[in-house]
Amino acid sequence: MISDPEAEAIFRQEADALTESLQSGLLTLKAAPEDAAVVAQVFRDLHTLKGTGAMFGFGRMAEFIHDFETAFEAVRDGRATVDADLIRVSLRAHDIIIDMLAGDDPDPAVEADVLAALHRVQDPTGAPALMAATPAPDAGGEGLRVSFTLPEDLLDIGGNPAALIAELTALGEGDPALSVCFEDLPPLAEMDPARLYLRWQVTLTGDVSAQDVEDVFLFHSDRMDLRIEPLGTPKAAPATPAPNTVHKTAARGTQKTPQTRVEDHIRVPATRLDGIMDQVGEMVIAEARLSALAAETGDEALADVAETITRLTAGLRDQAMALRMTPLSTITGRFHRLAHDLAESTGKPFDLQIVGEETELDKSLIEKLAEPLMHILRNAVDHGLETPEGRAAAGKPERGLVVIEARHSGADILIGISDDGRGLNPDMIRERAIENGLISATDQLSRDHLLSLILEPGFSTATQVTELSGRGIGTDVVNTMVRSMRGQVMIDTEEGQGTRFILRLPLTLAIVDGLLVQVGPERYVIPLAAVSAIQDMPLGLDFGDSVAKVLPVRGELVSVLSLRRTFGIDVPPAKHPKMILVQSGEGHVGISVDRIIRVEQTVVKQLSPLHRDVQAFGGASVQPDGQIALILDVAALGHMHGRRAIRPSVEVSV
């Protein structure tokens, strides 16, 4: 296929973007079949994918896309309409393209069925070719008159106007007639020498087809104005092309001056961004050591330099973090496709709404987030939404509703996935948990703890195993993946009204602001975004042999965890311990520590594979003095002492 690894990587990236855009466009047309702009987008995606595929050795794929493209050319030209059948077969064709890009040969019978379906959708009479009724102006040997403008930024992307014109004029017989129109030139003061403003007209004689001309401009046709007329056709005004005229026009934009040019972009491998982030992390550590050294020596000149380095490092950190931020919209396209397939496979029509697609988070999180969200979406449809008959009996609209919503919450991201289905039955969850041995019949559980049992391995409320659920792996996978991202899964439900899963995730996994605390000789970092308050522990409070106590804090009973007891630190307790109140789920939990040291920028270092099952920590950081401080996983700690606090053996102090 492609011999140059760098060229192959670029082609793969472009192909992924085009197929994602194609799928998104098809799903948009399902809801808005009359949207001409989306039809044009689908056609452009197909045309570009066909051209680049052919250039990089995917000849069979290009041939397949040609028939696919032909169907949407008919839609674009108004000779066919978009309906449910066309969307259905187009999505199947999209999947075949994905297989071909992966190097897999599709089943010939499936491929033939899809192509036949594309023809049948557009030509119910069974004509042998979809476009046979409207031939292109291939000129029958007389010749063609070609009028065109080129993309204004052709020089910026490495294009060669002279080479394109030479290739075009070589198609005809004899000397072609070439003329230039200057009427689109802007005033001299507004002219950018790097822009193209001219319109060319070329007369080609002999046996030249419109397809030959289009092939010359294959990679620019969606961004230029191209008009092709048989020589026998009288010249028409630009606004009213003559019959049988190929007239392809793309928006040329209104930018005429350098001041309004679109911002330039550079494609950079993700590994390079990761390398930059690693270096910035090391600079943050070095800057902290420099600041500590300046404070110890009392040297004013060194302190001034340290302050400057601190400011520059903070700016560099923010810029590097911005490079890593990616909008949620980069993965939401696949959710629309999944929703389409789920509605058809389950027989449950529903609408999917996505709110906050522009919300940005670290690219390393985006890459891991798609699978848990798809698990929850499947469960929402399979377990949550009722059948149309069930919704009618419950007095609900025939179509269900699933909403995915993302928003920032401090230094965290909250992603909610809610449905308007039947909701969860706590009594059924309790029965299944007892049957599976997760709890005993005598355990007294809070409502939140009871709901969280569906996240345990092997738990399922499905009465039978289907393609979508019933194997007890969906919510467990979600919980495991979210925990691996130092996140937390919360559940809210109302029987008969619906269920909402909430994923709380850190904005980034690279550098966070942390509260450095000490317990005995050990140091720990608590992510500052999770901290709600700091206060003194009650005088004389003794945890004894208990790991947690329940104390009244700000009008609510809060479970307080002793890190000393949790981690088995065998030293005398501090005289004046502190309590860090942190957000956990919809409430708070407390963490008892001996001393608060300072607030600092914390570079997160991942733990080794040997420590992957240690749930209390989300990583480690290197301190300015070279010591290691473990970063506490607040969600995991809240889960741990939230459970302990409801056990009868835990003493309650008020």
Side-chain angles (χ1 to χ4, degrees):
M1 293 281 183
I2 309 171
S3 57
D4 184 354
E6 184 175 355
E8 179 178 5
I10 294 174
F11 167 72
R12 294 290 181 184
Q13 291 173 354
E14 294 289 351
D16 289 345
L18 287 168
T19 52
E20 186 77 19
S21 175
L22 173 61
Q23 179 175 263
S24 175
L26 292 172
L27 293 171
T28 301
L29 283 177
K30 179 184 176 183
E34 302 296 329
D35 195 327
V38 180
V39 171
Q41 172 210 315
V42 169
F43 181 81
R44 286 196 302 270
D45 291 339
L46 289 169
H47 189 71
T48 306
L49 194 56
K50 179 182 74 172
T52 54
M55 185 173 69
F56 284 102
F58 289 83
R60 186 182 175 198
M61 183 187 75
E63 293 176 2
F64 176 81
I65 294 177
H66 179 74
D67 287 336
F68 193 175
E69 176 191 33
T70 301
F72 271 87
E73 187 169 23
V75 174
R76 188 189 63 169
D77 295 344
R79 292 178 280 111
T81 58
V82 175
D83 57 18
D85 289 337
L86 176 59
I87 297 301
R88 188 178 299 108
V89 70
S90 295
L91 289 172
R92 291 179 64 194
H94 167 273
D95 293 342
I96 289 177
I97 294 173
I98 295 294
D99 290 340
M100 289 180 170
L101 285 170
D104 300 329
D105 290 330
D107 186 330
V110 174
E111 182 180 356
D113 180 60
V114 168
L115 290 174
L118 281 171
H119 287 223
R120 286 196 305 271
V121 166
Q122 301 299 330
D123 188 5
T125 62
L130 182 65
M131 300 292 291
T134 311
D138 282 350
E142 292 185 7
L144 298 174
R145 181 187 303 115
V146 182
S147 175
F148 63 94
T149 60
L150 293 170
E152 289 188 1
D153 61 348
L154 184 66
L155 298 177
D156 290 343
I157 62 176
N160 187 335
L164 290 172
I165 294 174
E167 184 178 355
L168 176 64
T169 55
L171 296 176
E173 298 177 1
D175 294 330
L178 174 64
S179 59
V180 182
C181 176
F182 298 93
E183 60 187 28
D184 290 337
L185 284 177
L188 183 61
E190 300 178 4
M191 192 177 298
D192 180 358
R195 306 289 92 184
L196 299 181
Y197 304 106
L198 302 176
R199 170 176 290 278
W200 285 269
Q201 181 169 297
V202 179
T203 300
L204 302 173
T205 58
D207 188 9
V208 184
S209 69
Q211 186 62 54
D212 294 336
V213 175
E214 291 180 28
D215 288 345
V216 173
F217 304 105
L218 181 63
F219 300 106
H220 309 291
S221 60
D222 59 335
R223 301 173 56 246
M224 61 181 291
D225 184 349
L226 174 62
R227 308 177 187 184
I228 307 172
E229 304 170 350
L231 283 182
T233 303
K235 290 186 180 181
T240 56
N244 292 331
T245 297
V246 176
H247 183 186
K248 298 188 176 182
T249 305
R252 289 174 54 81
T254 58
Q255 295 91 344
K256 293 296 183 182
T257 66
Q259 289 78 12
T260 59
R261 289 174 58 180
V262 178
E263 183 179 358
D264 293 332
H265 292 80
I266 300 176
R267 189 183 302 277
V268 179
T271 52
R272 294 187 181 179
L273 293 181
D274 293 338
I276 291 175
M277 202 66 228
D278 289 341
Q279 293 298 315
V280 171
E282 295 300 324
M283 283 191 63
V284 170
I285 295 173
E287 175 270 322
R289 296 181 63 183
L290 177 63
S291 297
L293 181 62
E296 291 176 4
T297 60
D299 189 319
E300 293 186 2
L302 182 59
D304 288 342
V305 173
E307 183 179 351
T308 301
I309 295 297
T310 298
R311 186 181 70 254
L312 294 175
T313 302
L316 184 60
R317 179 201 66 172
D318 293 342
Q319 291 292 332
M321 291 299 302
L323 291 175
R324 290 173 60 98
M325 303 308 286
T326 305
L328 189 66
S329 58
T330 57
I331 62 171
T332 53
R334 67 194 73 177
F335 301 150
H336 289 289
R337 173 62 188 276
L338 177 61
H340 171 273
D341 293 343
L342 287 173
E344 292 202 344
S345 62
T346 62
K348 299 177 180 179
F350 70 95
D351 296 317
L352 175 64
Q353 294 182 5
I354 300 181
V355 181
E357 285 185 292
E358 70 284 355
T359 304
E360 293 185 331
L361 64 163
D362 195 297
K363 73 172 185 64
S364 62
L365 294 176
I366 282 283
E367 295 167 356
K368 300 177 182 178
L369 191 57
E371 188 171 349
L373 288 178
M374 293 173 75
H375 272 298
I376 298 177
L377 178 56
R378 290 190 188 97
N379 278 342
V381 177
D382 194 39
H383 289 297
L385 296 182
E386 306 94 336
T387 62
E389 296 77 16
R391 294 184 67 84
K396 296 181 179 180
E398 178 183 359
R399 296 183 65 85
L401 177 64
V402 178
V403 179
I404 300 177
E405 181 178 3
R407 63 181 177 88
H408 288 98
S409 176
D412 290 342
I413 296 290
L414 294 182
I415 302 178
I417 306 94
S418 58
D419 64 75
D420 66 345
R422 60 176 63 91
L424 296 174
N425 186 327
D427 293 335
M428 180 182 295
I429 293 175
R430 182 179 178 83
E431 292 175 5
R432 291 296 176 86
I434 294 174
E435 291 175 6
N436 295 338
L438 297 175
I439 60 174
S440 69
T442 59
D443 282 338
Q444 300 298 315
L445 307 181
S446 68
R447 185 173 185 273
D448 288 345
H449 184 193
L450 188 62
L451 293 176
S452 71
L453 291 178
I454 70 174
L455 303 174
E456 296 294 331
F459 185 91
S460 177
T461 58
T463 57
Q464 61 182 354
V465 175
T466 69
E467 291 183 358
L468 297 179
S469 60
R471 303 184 187 275
I473 58 172
T475 51
D476 175 35
V477 170
V478 170
N479 192 38
T480 301
M481 289 185 171
V482 173
R483 290 285 300 279
S484 72
M485 294 183 274
R486 301 210 320 271
Q488 180 184 14
V489 180
M490 299 167 283
I491 305 170
D492 187 23
T493 187
E494 184 175 350
E495 197 167 356
Q497 300 299 316
T499 301
R500 186 184 188 207
F501 282 76
I502 304 168
L503 277 56
R504 178 183 289 273
L505 298 164
L507 188 63
T508 177
L509 297 180
I511 301 176
V512 298
D513 290 326
L515 182 67
L516 184 65
V517 301
Q518 186 170 350
V519 180
E522 305 296 336
R523 294 180 180 182
Y524 303 97
V525 175
I526 300 175
L528 192 60
V531 176
S532 299
I534 301 173
Q535 65 182 56
D536 292 327
M537 290 288 291
L539 291 175
L541 178 66
D542 183 10
F543 280 87
D545 294 331
S546 299
V547 174
K549 293 274 189 178
V550 177
L551 303 176
V553 180
R554 295 184 172 184
E556 65 173 314
L557 291 178
V558 175
S559 183
V560 181
L561 180 72
S562 169
L563 290 188
R564 181 184 306 279
R565 292 296 181 188
T566 301
F567 300 139
I569 301 175
D570 189 15
V571 295
K575 292 183 178 180
H576 302 286
K578 305 295 182 181
M579 181 180 68
I580 315 298
L581 193 67
V582 298
Q583 183 77 30
S584 178
E586 297 300 320
H588 292 89
V589 295
I591 300 175
S592 174
V593 302
D594 289 349
R595 187 166 71 96
I596 296 173
I597 300 177
R598 61 178 175 269
V599 174
E600 63 180 16
Q601 291 184 17
T602 301
V603 179
V604 181
K605 300 292 186 179
Q606 297 301 314
L607 299 178
S608 73
L610 295 176
H611 300 89
R612 67 180 61 179
D613 294 328
V614 180
Q615 299 181 354
F617 306 114
S621 69
V622 181
Q623 300 298 297
D625 58 5
Q627 294 190 39
I628 301 298
L630 293 171
I631 301 170
L632 297 180
D633 186 335
V634 173
L637 288 173
H639 187 65
M640 289 165 57
H641 72 254
R643 288 192 169 192
R644 291 189 174 93
I646 57 175
R647 301 291 185 184
S649 61
V650 176
E651 178 185 349
V652 177
S653 301
V654 293

